[in-house]
Amino acid sequence: QVQLVQSGAEVKKPGASVKVSCKASVYTFTGHYIHWVRQAPGQGLEWMGWINPYTGDTLYAEMFLGRVTMTRDTYVSTAYMELSRLRLDDTATYYCARDYCSDKSCSVFHYWGQGTLVTVSS
Amino acid sequence: EIVMTQSPATLSVSPGERATFSCRASQSVSSDLAWYQQKPGQAPRLLIYAASTRATGIPARFRGSGSGRDFTLTISSLQSEDFAVYHCQQYKHWPGTFGQGTKVEVK
């Protein structure tokens, strides 16, 4: 069974950065895009962007441009999402999700990590 | 950006009954529509993609339909484990966007 295991909860101050990891197992890490989706408390889901683990190419949603960086380490089958200049309204659960398609982005989120709660508080 | 509108926001249904709820896109998304189920404290789970194709392991009581702008998810006979929030998502146009969710609760 495909697994995506994320790093633990974080508490950050406004203006700081946070880096969340997503370790993949039981499949070929470089074969499927990894997406990041966030969910503010009691709110809907918001797509942040994707990374192609094979090439390292990324695509970010416009609202996160300049603040988000997605990277990967193929040796440890792990994707990372770093969000900088944190604001109070960045408080949310951040999920990584594996794309349904192989070798391209369909933006259908087949397998999900368990989520990482990031709390931004002064 | 495509806006996805789900209705109703909350649906109260008795176990064993049928549940039907909707998702409307602000412009056509063809059949590039997915449905996810989310229980409290859990990550979403993919139920349906391509508007009507069930993901692996999803029971046949979940049925997706529609194309263009209007889509429906029907759960034919609600089981206790089906009470949850359901999100629709279009992936035709970048960026993929989600609806605000429909909560299915026990009547």
Side-chain angles (χ1 to χ4, degrees):
Chain A
Q1 173 75 337
V2 169
Q3 280 200 322
L4 298 172
V5 179
Q6 299 183 221
S7 49
E10 304 261 13
V11 179
K12 296 291 183 181
K13 293 195 180 302
S17 298
V18 67
K19 190 170 186 177
V20 179
S21 67
C22 171
K23 182 171 176 58
S25 60
V26 199
Y27 77 95
T28 302
F29 177 64
T30 52
H32 294 265
Y33 285 42
I34 292 287
H35 299 259
W36 290 89
V37 176
R38 77 176 186 179
Q39 186 173 36
Q43 302 300 309
L45 299 162
E46 184 173 42
W47 176 78
M48 299 179 68
W50 56 245
I51 182 166
N52 177 343
Y54 183 69
T55 63
D57 291 342
T58 55
L59 180 66
Y60 304 140
E62 198 167 315
M63 70 172 293
F64 297 103
L65 283 175
R67 288 207 302 141
V68 71
T69 305
M70 296 178 188
T71 57
R72 92 296 189 211
D73 184 337
T74 57
Y75 293 103
V76 292
S77 299
T78 300
Y80 303 91
M81 186 283 299
E82 184 170 20
L83 189 62
S84 62
R85 302 195 301 278
L86 288 168
R87 307 186 296 244
L88 297 177
D89 63 359
D90 289 319
T91 294
T93 297
Y94 291 76
Y95 294 101
C96 61
R98 197 197 84 168
D99 203 296
Y100 181 85
C101 292
S102 298
D103 303 321
K104 65 176 182 177
S105 172
C106 296
S107 294
V108 175
F109 311 126
H110 194 184
Y111 295 100
W112 295 67
Q114 82 276 19
T116 297
L117 176 62
V118 175
T119 303
V120 183
S121 173
S122 54
Chain B
E1 182 173 300
I2 307 299
V3 176
M4 307 300 291
T5 302
Q6 292 187 241
S7 60
T10 303
L11 185 64
S12 299
V13 186
S14 300
E17 289 187 341
R18 173 186 300 243
T20 300
F21 40 95
S22 300
C23 176
R24 169 168 282 189
S26 58
Q27 65 186 74
S28 176
V29 299
S30 186
S31 293
D32 292 344
L33 190 285
W35 290 96
Y36 300 85
Q37 177 194 66
Q38 187 177 28
K39 297 179 182 179
Q42 296 186 18
R45 176 173 73 142
L46 176 65
L47 296 177
I48 301 281
Y49 63 95
S52 61
T53 302
R54 284 190 303 277
T56 307
I58 301 303
R61 65 180 181 272
F62 291 91
R63 187 173 69 87
S65 61
S67 66
R69 294 182 58 202
D70 292 304
F71 301 87
T72 299
L73 182 65
T74 299
I75 310 171
S76 59
S77 176
L78 271 163
Q79 307 298 301
S80 58
E81 62 267 28
D82 300 335
F83 292 96
V85 175
Y86 293 83
H87 305 273
C88 65
Q89 177 229 349
Q90 68 82 19
Y91 51 94
K92 175 70 174 176
H93 303 283
W94 182 87
T97 47
F98 293 87
Q100 284 300 105
T102 288
K103 181 180 181 180
V104 177
E105 64 176 23
V106 179
K107 187 174 183 180

